[in-house]
Amino acid sequence: MFIAWWRRIAGPVEPYLELLALVAGLFFLPKALLRFRIPAPLTEFALGIIVGPAVFGWIEPNAMLKGLSGFGISALFLFAGLEVELDELRSRGATLVVHLGLQVALVAIATAVGIALGLDTGVAVLVGAAIMSPSVGYIMSLLEARPQRPDLAAWIKHKAIAGELMAIGMVLVFANASAPRDLAIGLAAVSGLILAVPLLVVFFHRLILPWAPRTEFPFLLIVALLAAYTTHHVGVHYLAGAFLVGLVARRYLDWLDRKRYETGSVSEALTAFRFFSAFFVPCFFFRVGLILPKGALTPEAALLAAALLVVAVPLRVVPTLLHRRMRLGEAWREAANVGLFLVPTTVFTFAVADVLRERFDVAPWVYGGLVVYGAATSLVPLLSPGAPVETGEEIVDVTTNEIARLGRSRE
């Protein structure tokens, strides 16, 4: 509406300038508010709400923003997959199994409450996963913004990864549980990707890379975007495909390291991609707020978000705190710090809420309550003493540093 009004007053504006104005606003305003300890993704989300149909209706969702948002979430989950080190997960297996058991119990409790409130079983499970599952991409960026003691950082990272792996599996199954045909198609698509992506990597390594050096990361990014589109098309969301490619890519990079291949070009590409992704990631958070319908910001939605924060956050922090005290003998302060850093569900909640809106047509106030809850959890780690504000784009730095380490290991 605002754009149409402006065009009537000032004349037509080139799409290029409209996009430039949007990107400039998404980049500079959130950075300016960091001084007030407001995370950049929260500012981008709030901007989307304000200018979108939920409040003023100045900007309408469009195909361009949807595409940019898809690129943003694909980049987030690609790098989340790159963080998975299967050997390290196995080395901490016993403790992580207990942690996953606690998460399953929490999701089961949330599911039971949802069913009691009248939700279908599949929807209730997805809601439970959305509010109880850590968001690896967001948490890794927090760890980059505020480095923790190495052992604590490793535990936070591995617990977040294990929890999100399980939650992605839940989304894969229960997003299509009510339609056996769709479930079969979704499982077949993911199974096909599991088989096809490693074969594509082998094909690239043997037939393309020798004649086209320094193309590892562009290749992985393109494959990630294709895989993300495939899983989105079959109803599993972008996150599954991009995360899967990240898993395979990490194994590929580890193999390159063991075989003493030069990975410096990958490190350089990831460093460059930091700036590239900074263009897309804010669009994802902005669009989440932009697509909120008018009925999403109601007293019922606010009550739901508040209830989830009051109930779900302690349920997630306290078991982690007690588990680490009893099993590892950690001090209360350190155990609580781990629990607080595992609370943000931000990106994962947004993604699951999108699935619920598109595939299950949940009530607008339920959708609104979920995304407000997801946004609010990004603030919980600030309760940790000395926790800094996270800008939302540092996820690339974490992986860049890790790949740089792989390159230095041979020097």
Side-chain angles (χ1 to χ4, degrees), residues 199-218:
L199 292 176
L200 284 173
V201 169
V202 172
F203 172 83
F204 167 79
H205 181 79
R206 293 185 176 179
L207 300 180
I208 297 177
L209 185 60
W211 290 270
R214 307 175 68 86
T215 57
E216 297 96 333
F217 191 75

Side-chain angles (χ1 to χ4, degrees), residues 43-91:
T43 302
E44 292 150 5
F45 170 68
L47 282 175
I49 294 177
I50 293 170
V51 304
V55 181
F56 291 113
W58 292 342
I59 299 178
E60 296 288 340
N62 55 49
M64 179 191 68
L65 281 174
K66 184 176 182 180
L68 295 177
S69 172
F71 274 38
I73 194 171
S74 297
L76 283 172
F77 277 89
L78 169 63
F79 283 101
L82 278 165
E83 289 295 336
V84 178
E85 301 175 46
L86 296 179
D87 291 339
E88 289 194 19
L89 287 178
R90 283 192 290 266
S91 69

Side-chain angles (χ1 to χ4, degrees), residues 7 82 207 254 295 311-312 334 359 407:
R7 283 173 175 167
L82 278 165
L207 300 180
D254 287 343
V311 176
E334 294 174 342
R359 295 186 64 82

Side-chain angles (χ1 to χ4, degrees), residues 88-159:
E88 289 194 19
L89 287 178
R90 283 192 290 266
S91 69
R92 302 170 183 264
T95 303
L96 291 177
V97 166
V98 177
H99 172 73
L100 289 178
L102 292 173
Q103 183 172 333
V104 169
L106 292 175
V107 173
I109 292 171
T111 299
V113 172
I115 293 173
L117 294 175
L119 297 178
D120 292 336
T121 301
V123 173
V125 172
L126 292 177
V127 170
I131 64 177
M132 296 296 184
S133 302
S135 179
V136 173
Y138 200 92
I139 291 169
M140 292 307 299
S141 62
L142 283 173
L143 288 175
E144 174 66 16
R146 183 180 189 262
Q148 298 290 300
R149 205 176 70 199
D151 59 328
L152 291 182
W155 277 116
I156 292 169
K157 171 184 172 181
H158 293 134
K159 286 189 173 188

